Amino acid sequence: MIAMKRHPSWRDLNRLADHELEAGARRAALEHVASCPRCSGTVSLLNDLREAGRDMRHPSPPKDLLEDILRNRSQGLRTILPAVPPSPRPARRFLPAVAAAAVMASLAGLATLTLTSEAGAGASELTVQPANPMPGEEIRLLYRPGALLAGETALRLRLRLRRPETEPPRATLGTYDEVILSPRADGLYVGSFQLPPDFAYAAMAVENLSGDRLDDRDGRLWDVRAHADDGAPLAGALRQNFLVLQNRSWPDARDAVHEMTFLYPDSAEGWSMQLAYDETTRPPAEMAVSLAGHREHFRRLDRQLEDAEPSADEIAAMVRYAQALGDAEAFDRWLDRLESRAPTHRLALSYRVAGVGSDQVDAEQYFETLWSVEEHRTLTVCRAGYSAAEATGDASLAQEWALRCLPLSDDHRFTRDLALTLVAYEETRERGIREIRTLLDHVNERPDEERPLHETPEEALRESRSFQAALRVRLGEQLLDSGAPVSAILELDAAEHFELWLPDLYRVRLEALLSIGDEDAARSDFHRLDADLTYPRESVDSLRRLFASLTRDELLDGRRQAESEMIQRVLADDMLRGLPPANLRTSTGQLRTLESLLSGRPTILLLWDRRVFGSPDEVANVIRAGDLLAGGPGQLLWITSEPDSESLQSFVRKSGLDLPAYHDRGSALATTLGEWGVRDYFVIDGTGRIRTRTHSLMEAVRHLEVLRLGSRDTA
Amino acid sequence: MHDRVDDRRMSVSENNPNPTLLSRLGRGDADALREVYERYADDVYRIALRLTASSADAYDVTHDVFVGLPEAMQRYDPDRPFGPWLRGVTVRTSQMRLRSVRRRREVAVPNVPAMAVRSRQDAVVDRLTLEKALDELSPDLRSVVVLRELEGLSYQEIADLLGITKSAAAVRLHRARRRLREILRGNR
């Protein structure tokens, strides 16, 4: 047994008294306590607290209480009781460390934090030592691979480190770094990493050295938070934790924000985030109670911060809080304060962009004034200025801001948008085309550190090909609109080389070819559009009139060839993954297995929560998808993490959705599938395998149709 | 050192009441409410009393819990045990009560049951001192101490009841004890 030479921390003494300390650390602590008067006094105090609690009597309620209750109820009195949070929470788990790690921890006097992945990678584990690291501290990482990464000579752990003020949720945000994990005889891979002094939160993924196999903890990523010396997570860490998790796991996000308001009750940011969370998750009756409490917190913070000197982020949080509570006076007051204290704060800028509709001149002047000051010429200000200019609809203003932003842009998507703005107008078209060509030439040369943590290099390459093809189609469309059909056709042919199925490409090229009178060449694109179920039939019908000379056999042959091409291209990247088992709850409260709901039918799983931003806008597509699949073997299955309620039913009735919602309790299925809270569609074939996942419902419908065509051809 | 958590566990039965009884309760049946009250009122009242340290507040909390119980049954998951769920409702209701009432108190009123005789002469803390010290804690900190020291719940059970993570429950408890230690040192 190894006795601890230094005093155990207050936290460890508490855990010792509560029997929550792990065996090795417990033995060492006990030996220390036996010979240390100071620590034994602390443990005695903790035991005395417990003894004092034990001595209390068990009282009974007064005899008249029951009659009081029954009488009041019979007279119509009702109370709204607070909700009890669901338990247990499955996603983030503090587990006993693996045996080797526990021994190491007890020798070093360190606690450990172990995170596990529950599927996909086959129960891998990542242990961080110490469990509650502080900024600037060195952490030790012990990774136990699942079947996916076992036996590798070494592994690479990729990190994205966020500071307290980093603004998620961009997937590539945060400073990139990596650690090589070396194998040990016991099968664990180990490495260490020095956390930077401004560290708040890190998201991590592990992959083999060639990068073709990746463990991203089923899409949730591994993570570590910065702590204070008393073991509590820092406010900045909780902020990052919440902002990142709100798109990955509602229960984890809830935990993070509750920790924040408990540990930092004077943080306006915590309360404003909790209100945002409450608004999207609580039923209306509870929300009324919750709002009353929030108004009280807001008044308290309003008083506290009035004469203090809060940070810009705290002022911004008060702006958000006031707006969410509908307090117009406080909102104006705090927004004025934010603009005078930090005129380039993201929130101040975004309200100015939003204000274009009501006072365009005022918004323009605000951004021009900012831009006139050299130190304010940043990418953040430029993005906002460009967005405001776009919102005004003033082409020359948008071009001017696009030209300002191009030299600053570090994001290929933003550069694309700026360049396309320039292409749309004659006087800047040449510059725009030049920018797009430069972008296309270099998009494959992006450094590996820009690759999102959850993507393998192969997936990143696929994404890059898709980006390039779509950009060439957009460029072709702009060139056609500007009266340059031949240049447009050249761009579109270049996009075709990526061998992706792109209905927009066929539509634009067909128009371009017809505009130069090349009807024969246009015919192939017509057949492609005709073959695509998701392309509007009325458009196909009107195009068919343009090709009136085609015989019925020619139409059928052309369509069949196009279908073959579509099948080949759409199925080229199928994932063929197994579907995890899941239990889902119907609106009547019955539990059904996912397997029984699929019942062997090709299915599109709509992992779709109406509370997620933008989801209600998708209703029209859901209805259209239902119409397209009607009469065929395919079906839509709507799975949501929202429990059934009158509010949900009302939404279904008003929106015209004609399909039942199945409740995925605690987002268990969504989490297992690595769904990050945004709406996502999974195509499942008749044998229950996942064929693809996509953010586009029409792509999912097309995929399902292609599966049907493929099986027909095989038959 | 012995683990005394288990022998102080709440007496709320972990065996769920008959589903028919709970179904009738959800429909507002007065006889069902009476039956559930007779089975659980002691536990609800005791938790409320320990959390609020006031028999008047405990009376009100117990009253509110049972008056609102039939409607709250819509949120009860029949797959989970009823006793712990009711315990959670009671804790939350008590916390709300405590937050609204505490501001009105000018002097802490340890209106708690009579104290038993101390058995350990050399103890640093007696129950009266503990009661006074507890009353100086915020509602959140008081809750974790009561649930741990008086009700004997584990970190995980406390976390589940309060809707926080296990580590947050531990940190909260450690902070509460640190605060209690400061208060007790000031008292001595």
Side-chain angles (χ1 to χ4, degrees):
Chain A
M1 189 184 301
I2 299 166
M4 299 169 82
K5 289 181 180 171
R6 59 180 182 175
H7 296 292
S9 66
W10 168 253
R11 186 184 64 208
D12 282 349
L13 288 175
N14 274 268
R15 289 183 184 276
L16 179 68
D18 290 336
H19 299 264
E20 297 271 355
L21 208 54
E22 288 165 16
R26 177 179 166 81
R27 277 196 303 275
L30 278 174
E31 184 154 311
H32 172 92
V33 168
S35 60
C36 173
R38 192 180 95 181
C39 292
S40 70
T42 302
V43 173
S44 294
L45 173 72
L46 296 173
N47 288 333
D48 283 347
L49 285 176
R50 184 172 299 164
E51 289 293 331
R54 281 175 57 109
D55 289 343
M56 289 186 179
R57 232 172 42 172
H58 287 191
S60 293
K63 289 191 167 47
D64 58 349
L65 179 52
L66 175 60
E67 296 314 316
D68 216 8
I69 291 165
L70 294 174
R71 186 177 58 254
N72 285 334
R73 269 196 69 84
S74 70
Q75 290 171 359
L77 181 68
R78 299 290 184 270
T79 54
I80 299 173
L81 297 178
V84 178
S87 62
R89 297 172 307 300
R92 189 186 183 93
R93 295 196 299 166
F94 291 79
L95 300 175
V98 292
V103 170
M104 183 179 292
S106 65
L107 289 174
L110 298 172
T112 60
L113 164 64
T114 301
L115 298 170
T116 64
S117 73
E118 287 154 18
S124 51
E125 276 187 3
L126 181 67
T127 301
V128 179
Q129 295 175 341
N132 300 331
M134 293 188 282
E137 198 169 3
E138 180 168 305
I139 55 171
R140 193 167 168 76
L141 299 147
L142 297 98
Y143 176 72
R144 188 175 69 183
L148 185 70
L149 291 174
E152 295 285 336
T153 52
L155 296 171
R156 180 189 294 113
L157 182 132
R158 305 175 79 232
L159 308 94
R160 285 204 175 274
L161 300 145
R162 294 165 190 266
R163 295 192 300 272
E165 71 280 8
T166 308
E167 291 289 341
R170 270 176 60 195
T172 55
L173 211 61
T175 308
Y176 177 79
D177 216 321
E178 59 183 48
V179 180
I180 297 299
L181 303 176
S182 307
R184 285 196 328 201
D186 58 6
L188 291 176
Y189 289 74
V190 298
S192 59
F193 183 75
Q194 183 83 38
L195 296 172
D198 58 357
F199 163 75
Y201 180 84
M204 301 174 282
V206 183
E207 62 185 27
N208 61 354
L209 296 184
S210 59
D212 58 355
R213 290 202 297 279
L214 167 75
D215 178 3
D216 62 355
R217 201 173 167 227
D218 316 316
R220 283 178 292 161
L221 299 174
W222 311 88
D223 60 7
V224 60
R225 307 186 294 192
H227 292 73
D229 57 1
D230 66 354
L234 295 178
L238 290 167
R239 174 176 189 267
Q240 292 298 323
N241 200 177
F242 171 77
L243 290 172
V244 173
L245 287 177
Q246 66 175 337
N247 282 334
R248 288 199 253 158
S249 163
W250 290 102
D252 283 353
R254 179 202 61 198
D255 288 350
V257 76
H258 280 189
E259 276 185 271
M260 191 161 180
T261 50
F262 165 66
L263 293 171
Y264 302 96
D266 292 337
S267 157
E269 190 148 33
W271 289 111
S272 70
M273 289 194 295
Q274 182 160 320
L275 176 56
Y277 184 85
D278 287 349
E279 280 179 325
T280 51
T281 56
R282 285 181 180 245
E286 284 178 27
M287 197 54 218
V289 178
S290 170
L291 269 177
H294 278 292
R295 289 202 177 92
E296 200 170 314
H297 285 302
F298 181 79
R299 280 194 293 273
R300 176 176 62 82
L301 292 166
D302 204 23
R303 281 194 303 273
Q304 277 179 12
L305 297 176
E306 190 176 7
D307 299 320
E309 290 190 8
S311 67
D313 284 339
E314 283 294 283
I315 298 174
M318 288 300 282
V319 175
R320 287 196 197 96
Y321 208 10
Q323 188 189 33
L325 289 169
D327 188 337
E329 180 277 322
F331 170 77
D332 288 341
R333 182 160 43 84
W334 281 102
L335 187 54
D336 284 348
R337 194 167 170 182
L338 180 65
E339 287 191 346
S340 93
R341 163 77 188 278
T344 61
H345 191 280
R346 289 171 60 94
L347 191 71
L349 296 175
S350 63
Y351 276 115
R352 285 290 175 173
V353 174
V356 167
S358 57
D359 191 344
Q360 181 177 330
V361 175
D362 188 45
E364 280 178 41
Q365 280 177 352
Y366 186 81
F367 287 110
E368 288 300 333
T369 306
L370 282 181
W371 199 252
S372 66
V373 180
E374 186 68 30
E375 67 181 87
H376 290 159
R377 293 186 176 184
T378 62
L379 180 59
T380 306
V381 171
C382 208
R383 270 181 178 272
Y386 170 73
S387 301
E390 285 272 279
T392 62
D394 181 337
S396 62
L397 194 61
Q399 286 171 56
E400 191 175 345
W401 277 98
L403 289 169
R404 287 170 175 169
C405 294
L406 268 170
L408 298 173
S409 175
D410 63 351
D411 172 356
H412 61 288
R413 293 179 190 280
F414 187 45
T415 303
R416 172 197 61 191
D417 294 343
L418 298 172
L420 285 170
T421 297
L422 297 182
V423 171
Y425 302 100
E426 195 171 347
E427 60 270 31
T428 51
R429 180 167 303 134
E430 201 174 314
R431 168 78 192 272
I433 291 173
R434 204 165 58 240
E435 292 291 341
I436 289 176
R437 296 214 187 288
T438 306
L439 187 59
L440 287 168
D441 287 344
H442 296 290
V443 73
N444 279 335
E445 298 168 10
R446 281 187 294 145
D448 191 53
E449 67 178 59
E450 285 188 20
R451 173 164 57 93
L453 294 179
H454 59 277
E455 277 184 6
T456 64
E458 189 187 338
E459 287 166 340
L461 183 62
R462 201 178 304 145
E463 197 273 338
S464 171
R465 282 158 45 85
S466 175
F467 174 84
Q468 291 176 70
L471 181 53
R472 286 193 185 277
V473 172
R474 293 280 300 277
L475 178 57
E477 190 165 19
Q478 293 287 3
L479 289 168
L480 178 62
D481 287 348
S482 60
V486 176
S487 300
I489 291 166
L490 291 174
E491 283 305 326
L492 296 163
D493 284 347
E496 178 96 63
H497 289 152
F498 291 104
E499 297 189 343
L500 302 170
W501 183 259
L502 299 166
D504 280 344
L505 186 158
Y506 312 137
R507 173 181 56 78
V508 177
R509 190 167 57 186
L510 184 145
E511 283 181 36
L513 289 165
L514 288 178
S515 75
I516 61 170
D518 193 346
E519 201 172 298
D520 285 347
R523 201 179 295 160
S524 298
D525 285 327
F526 164 69
H527 290 309
R528 289 183 177 111
L529 293 174
D530 185 26
D532 192 322
L533 172 77
T534 65
Y535 196 74
R537 287 301 94 186
E538 54 272 29
S539 300
V540 172
D541 290 342
S542 65
L543 286 174
R544 190 173 288 128
R545 284 193 284 277
L546 295 174
F547 296 96
S549 61
L550 288 175
T551 65
R552 182 182 162 77
D553 285 347
E554 284 172 331
L555 278 170
L556 286 174
D557 281 351
R559 181 179 170 135
R560 191 166 285 271
Q561 279 182 28
E563 282 177 353
S564 297
E565 185 183 82
M566 180 170 67
I567 291 168
Q568 184 212 334
R569 292 187 176 188
V570 168
L571 299 184
D573 294 324
D574 262 18
M575 38 167 78
L576 290 172
R577 256 177 64 188
L579 193 61
N583 288 316
L584 302 162
R585 193 174 285 276
T586 68
S587 60
T588 56
Q590 288 179 313
L591 274 182
R592 296 281 306 273
T593 63
L594 177 58
E595 194 181 2
S596 72
L597 291 170
L598 293 174
S599 61
R601 292 178 66 185
T603 300
I604 298 174
L605 287 188
L606 285 74
L607 284 186
W608 194 83
D609 190 322
R610 74 183 170 112
R611 300 166 298 182
V612 172
F613 178 76
S615 286
D617 300 338
E618 188 76 346
V619 167
N621 267 336
V622 176
I623 292 172
R624 180 162 178 245
D627 291 344
L628 290 172
L629 297 176
Q635 64 171 342
L636 294 174
L637 203 60
W638 175 17
I639 293 170
T640 176
S641 55
E642 181 183 5
D644 190 52
S645 67
E646 179 50 40
S647 165
L648 179 60
Q649 293 297 335
S650 168
F651 169 77
V652 170
R653 281 194 301 274
K654 284 179 186 165
S655 60
L657 283 172
D658 186 23
L659 73 168
Y662 293 95
H663 177 209
D664 177 21
R665 296 177 66 196
S667 305
L669 175 62
T671 305
T672 310
L673 288 172
E675 192 256 352
W676 286 19
V678 294
R679 60 177 182 275
D680 232 343
Y681 306 105
F682 288 77
V683 175
I684 315 295
D685 65 20
T687 63
R689 289 175 306 176
I690 302 173
R691 302 300 290 259
T692 193
R693 68 182 291 175
T694 170
H695 298 316
S696 160
L697 183 52
M698 285 306 117
E699 267 184 27
V701 170
R702 181 186 303 124
H703 209 106
L704 208 64
E705 172 67 1
V706 162
L707 289 176
R708 186 186 70 80
L709 292 172
S711 61
R712 179 200 67 186
D713 287 358
T714 307
Chain B
M1 195 181 303
H2 303 288
D3 190 350
R4 289 178 173 126
V5 170
D6 286 342
D7 60 8
R8 290 182 294 118
R9 225 164 247 288
M10 286 177 59
S11 58
V12 171
S13 168
E14 301 299 330
N15 297 324
N16 254 15
N18 187 323
T20 312
L21 174 64
L22 294 182
S23 172
R24 283 168 45 218
L25 176 64
R27 293 196 299 272
D29 182 320
D31 288 339
L33 181 59
R34 182 187 295 276
E35 200 173 324
V36 170
Y37 178 92
E38 283 165 358
R39 185 163 169 184
Y40 291 99
D42 278 2
D43 297 305
V44 170
Y45 183 77
R46 189 188 68 252
I47 294 170
L49 181 59
R50 287 177 168 180
L51 286 172
T52 62
S54 153
S55 53
D57 287 341
Y59 186 99
D60 287 347
V61 167
T62 310
H63 172 272
D64 287 354
V65 165
F66 282 99
V67 166
L69 193 54
E71 285 70 34
M73 290 300 289
Q74 289 172 11
R75 296 199 301 268
Y76 166 63
D77 177 355
D79 292 341
R80 304 197 69 81
F82 180 75
W85 176 77
L86 184 59
R87 180 196 294 164
V89 171
T90 307
V91 170
R92 295 235 146 187
T93 309
S94 301
Q95 284 182 315
M96 283 173 60
R97 179 84 191 168
L98 207 53
R99 287 193 177 99
S100 63
V101 169
R102 198 175 178 81
R103 286 178 197 84
R104 301 203 301 266
R105 287 192 200 151
E106 291 180 0
V107 181
V109 184
N111 189 5
V112 292
M115 305 297 167
V117 177
R118 295 281 300 152
S119 55
R120 293 173 58 203
Q121 299 303 315
D122 58 345
V124 179
V125 189
D126 62 23
R127 284 164 294 116
L128 187 57
T129 316
L130 174 62
E131 278 300 329
K132 286 179 177 171
L134 275 178
D135 208 54
E136 292 186 38
L137 294 181
S138 69
D140 285 336
L141 294 187
R142 182 185 171 92
S143 297
V144 285
V145 175
V146 166
L147 293 174
R148 175 71 196 180
E149 309 294 13
L150 280 65
E151 296 297 331
L153 302 191
S154 69
Y155 287 4
Q156 187 61 59
E157 287 169 320
I158 295 170
D160 290 343
L161 273 186
L162 300 181
I164 56 179
T165 61
K166 185 180 171 187
S167 67
V171 168
R172 198 179 288 195
L173 182 63
H174 302 167
R175 288 193 168 191
R177 285 169 173 166
R178 194 197 292 269
R179 178 76 189 120
L180 277 177
R181 184 175 62 171
E182 290 162 6
I183 295 167
L184 292 169
R185 282 180 178 164
N187 286 345
R188 281 196 294 153

